[in-house]
């Protein structure tokens, strides 16, 4: 056979065997609000793309689904000037995020961009945005208490390292103040705060309070205010959790504070309804119910020499309704919950901890029997007094009718003093336990 012909045949075979270049761009074919469709170039759900606008600028969008071979995207910024035929290009697969110790003391957004005015932090490590699943049978047990610096929680609802707990509250009962106290007073190695869907003013105030304290050098804040897109709110929650996971993998004991889990659920509801999901319980589509366990289960204890992620998730009880679907789902998956009482707020008791209706499911595993007995007695006396408060105030109760109620009435001022704590005061775990036993034993000088 002719040598030239043979060479041409071989070149043709090699050309056919070479992988063809994959087209990673497309054009907008449909645009409706924040949702758009483009040609179906290869990309996974969660990938980040750039969309060209009429002004020549590029807007970011995330792939949220597929429809008849097209990619469905949701824009991060609403109101962009985009028309049919606008160019769409793949920017990032959205799988990993940069992480590292240079994040400490910084405030970033859902995409990792700094909000504090300083340059981008130099980060050499990466971590999956959606986390790494751990074998539940290999996870370390929750065996040590975590000092959160709040007397009522340390003594009556002791939290363990690696525990996941919800703070359930309506609006205006001191939720943000409680979180700020925890952030400044805890003895955790690393503090990761996720401010998701909150008012811009609240975000600024919270950040300024935290980052002017000693805790600044061990704190990372991920802030996504309420005016950002639902995709950014969800991404912000995942980014904060991923950062906490990274530090846990480094052997650190991390405190993750997410305010609020409800806003993350609302963001998922917006996306689900826009994609055509059918609403079920009180307007929430099924994807919301599946999102909460996926997010919550990423925190907790690590494996072997890894550290732990102790997580506090605030859950908004709209209209003080504690039977809301998000509240129910969170309460079922978490390792306990702290209910904040509007009634105690009206009595001027801050933090407004509703002790009888709150529970820490790991407290019995990390505290002594004497501590547990004192906490149970305190809970019982508070419950008894609150049930009979109206009767007592009206003068309908006479001393001597019920010895335990008599004790609750006599100790009530000390019980209130124990629960009440100023914002700038720190109460360590050991002193909280000692003060609790003094209060139960009737020591008037306990607090």
């Amino acid at each position: 056979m002719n040598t030239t012909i043979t060479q041409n045949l071989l070149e043709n075979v090699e050309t056919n065997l070479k992988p063809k270049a994959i087209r990673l761009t497309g054009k907008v074919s449909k645009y409706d609000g924040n949702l758009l469709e483009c040609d179906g170039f290869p990309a996974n759900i969660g990938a980040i793309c750039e969309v060209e606008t009429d002004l020549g600028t590029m807007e970011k969008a995330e792939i949220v689904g597929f429809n008849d071979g097209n990619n469905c995207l949701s824009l991060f910024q609403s109101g962009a000037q985009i028309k049919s035929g606008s160019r769409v290009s793949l920017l990032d697969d959205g799988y990993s995020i940069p992480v590292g110790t240079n994040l400490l003391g910084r405030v970033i957004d859902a995409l990792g961009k700094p909000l504090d005015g300083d340059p981008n932090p130099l980060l050499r490590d990466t971590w999956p945005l959606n986390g790494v699943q751990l074998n539940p049978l290999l996870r370390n047990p929750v065996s040590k208490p975590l000092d959160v610096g709040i007397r009522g929680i340390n003594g009556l609802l002791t939290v363990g390292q690696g525990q996941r707990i919800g703070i359930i509250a309506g609006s205006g009962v001191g939720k943000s103040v409680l979180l700020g106290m925890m952030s400044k007073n805890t003895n955790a190695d690393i503090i990761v705060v996720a401010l998701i869907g909150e008012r811009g003013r609240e975000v600024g105030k919270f950040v300024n309070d935290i980052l002017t304290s000693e805790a600044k050098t061990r704190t990372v804040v991920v802030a996504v205010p309420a005016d950002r897109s639902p995709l950014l709110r969800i991404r912000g929650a995942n980014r904060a959790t991923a950062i906490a996971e990274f530090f846990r993998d480094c052997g650190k004991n991390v405190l993750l504070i997410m305010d609020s889990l409800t806003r993350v659920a609302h963001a998922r509801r917006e996306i689900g309804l826009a994609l055509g999901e059918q609403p079920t319980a009180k307007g929430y589509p099924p994807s919301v119910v599946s999102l909460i366990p996926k997010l919550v289960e990423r925190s907790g204890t690590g494996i072997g020499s890894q550290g732990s992620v102790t997580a506090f998730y605030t859950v908004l009880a709209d209209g003080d309704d504690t039977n809301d679907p998000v509240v129910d789902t969170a309460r079922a998956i978490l390792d306990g919950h702290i209910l904040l009482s509007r009634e105690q707020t009206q009595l001027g008791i801050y933090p407004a901890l509703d002790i009888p209706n709150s529970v820490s499911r790991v407290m019995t595993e990390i505290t002594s029997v004497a501590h547990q007995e004192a906490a149970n007695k305190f809970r019982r006396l508070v419950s008894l007094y609150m049930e009979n408060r109206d009767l007592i105030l009206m003068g309908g109760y006479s001393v001597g009718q019920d010895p335990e109620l008599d004790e609750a009435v006599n100790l009530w001022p000390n019980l209130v003093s124990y629960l009440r704590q100023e914002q700038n005061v720190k109460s360590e775990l050991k002193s909280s336990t000692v003060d609790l036993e003094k209060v139960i034993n009737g020591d008037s000088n306990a607090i």
Side-chain angles (χ1 to χ4, degrees):
M1 182 179 292
N2 189 295
T3 305
T4 303
I5 297 176
T6 304
Q7 185 175 355
N8 290 338
L9 287 173
L10 290 174
E11 288 177 354
N12 288 336
V13 170
E14 289 177 359
T15 301
N16 290 331
L17 290 176
K18 289 180 180 178
K20 293 181 172 59
I22 300 176
R23 182 174 57 88
L24 299 178
T25 60
K27 292 184 178 180
V28 174
S29 58
K30 183 179 179 181
Y31 180 39
D32 181 16
N34 277 1
L35 288 177
L36 57 87
E37 289 186 17
C38 73
D39 303 341
F41 56 81
N44 58 286
I45 290 179
I48 299 177
C49 301
E50 284 187 331
V51 185
E52 188 176 11
T53 69
D54 284 351
L55 301 176
T57 58
M58 306 299 288
E59 291 289 343
K60 290 184 174 60
E62 181 176 325
I63 295 180
V64 293
F66 310 104
N67 182 35
D68 293 334
N70 288 341
N71 293 334
C72 299
L73 300 94
S74 181
L75 288 167
F76 289 157
Q77 183 68 39
S78 60
Q81 297 184 25
I82 296 172
K83 62 185 179 183
S84 179
S86 294
R87 182 184 177 87
V88 181
S89 56
L90 183 66
L91 184 65
D92 185 80
D93 62 7
Y95 178 76
S96 298
I97 63 167
V99 290
T101 55
N102 287 336
L103 284 171
L104 299 176
R106 303 300 304 273
V107 184
I108 59 175
D109 65 9
L111 297 175
K113 302 299 181 183
L115 295 175
D116 50 17
D118 292 335
N120 288 333
L122 180 61
L123 306 172
R124 303 184 183 278
D125 298 303
T126 60
W127 192 265
L129 179 65
N130 294 314
V132 177
Q133 286 189 342
L134 301 180
N135 186 336
L137 298 182
L138 298 179
R139 281 190 163 191
N140 300 325
V142 178
S143 57
K144 296 179 181 179
L146 176 72
D147 187 351
V148 296
I150 298 175
R151 185 166 47 240
I153 297 178
N154 280 341
L156 303 169
L157 301 164
T158 311
V159 176
Q161 293 180 6
Q163 184 176 359
R164 290 79 58 89
I165 195 162
I167 300 177
I168 302 173
S171 57
V173 292
K175 174 178 76 300
S176 297
V177 174
L178 181 66
L179 296 179
M181 293 173 67
M182 284 186 196
S183 302
K184 290 184 287 188
N185 297 336
T186 182
N187 65 350
D189 300 325
I190 303 292
I191 305 161
V192 180
V193 181
L195 301 175
I196 310 298
E198 294 300 308
R199 298 183 295 273
R201 181 186 65 82
E202 290 288 340
V203 170
K205 183 177 182 301
F206 193 93
V207 169
N208 290 334
D209 287 346
I210 293 176
L211 297 187
T212 54
S213 67
E214 174 272 334
K216 176 179 180 178
T217 57
R218 54 194 174 105
T219 301
V220 183
V221 179
V222 180
V224 190
D227 60 342
R228 302 301 192 267
S229 77
L231 275 174
L232 287 177
R233 279 175 262 156
I234 294 175
R235 183 171 284 270
N238 283 323
R239 180 176 287 272
T241 307
I243 293 171
E245 288 176 309
F246 164 75
F247 282 111
R248 177 184 63 191
D249 194 60
C250 295
K252 303 294 185 181
N253 291 316
V254 184
L255 175 63
L256 170 64
I257 295 176
M258 187 169 294
D259 186 17
S260 72
L261 188 63
T262 303
R263 302 302 187 200
V264 179
H266 288 176
R268 180 64 252 185
R269 178 174 63 181
E270 288 182 49
I271 296 170
L273 295 178
L275 291 175
E277 281 190 71
Q278 294 301 312
T280 52
K282 291 191 177 181
Y284 289 99
S287 59
V288 173
V289 180
S290 64
L291 169 70
I292 294 175
K294 287 179 182 178
L295 191 61
V296 170
E297 280 298 319
R298 292 173 59 183
S299 56
T301 55
I303 296 175
S305 61
Q306 294 178 356
S308 63
V309 177
T310 307
F312 282 86
Y313 300 93
T314 63
V315 186
L316 300 177
D318 293 333
D320 293 337
D321 178 16
T322 57
N323 293 318
D324 179 84
V326 176
V327 177
D328 271 345
T329 303
R331 191 161 43 195
I333 196 69
L334 293 167
D335 303 321
H337 59 271
I338 297 172
L339 189 65
L340 300 186
S341 167
R342 190 172 300 278
E343 186 176 3
Q344 289 187 209
T345 302
Q346 293 167 349
L347 292 174
I349 303 174
Y350 289 97
L353 305 175
D354 188 346
I355 298 301
N357 291 310
S358 303
V359 63
S360 172
R361 295 178 182 170
V362 304
M363 182 175 176
T364 56
E365 302 171 20
I366 56 176
T367 56
S368 65
V369 175
H371 183 176
Q372 295 167 32
E373 290 176 350
N376 289 336
K377 185 175 181 180
F378 188 106
R379 180 189 302 269
R380 189 167 61 253
L381 293 177
V382 170
S383 179
L384 192 60
Y385 182 89
M386 295 302 292
E387 287 175 2
N388 294 276
R389 180 173 176 271
D390 292 340
L391 183 65
I392 295 169
L393 294 178
M394 290 187 299
Y397 174 75
S398 299
V399 177
Q401 294 180 353
D402 185 341
E404 195 169 27
L405 182 55
D406 290 344
E407 185 179 13
V409 173
N410 291 332
L411 292 179
W412 180 247
N414 286 349
L415 300 179
V416 171
S417 296
Y418 185 83
L419 291 176
R420 186 180 282 129
Q421 183 174 335
E422 298 296 330
Q423 293 185 41
N424 57 351
V425 174
K426 177 180 179 179
S427 180
E428 296 181 349
L429 179 62
K430 185 176 180 179
S431 63
S432 300
T433 305
V434 172
D435 290 342
L436 173 62
E437 294 178 353
K438 288 181 179 180
V439 165
I440 292 301
N441 293 327
D443 187 346
S444 58
N445 298 319
I447 307 298

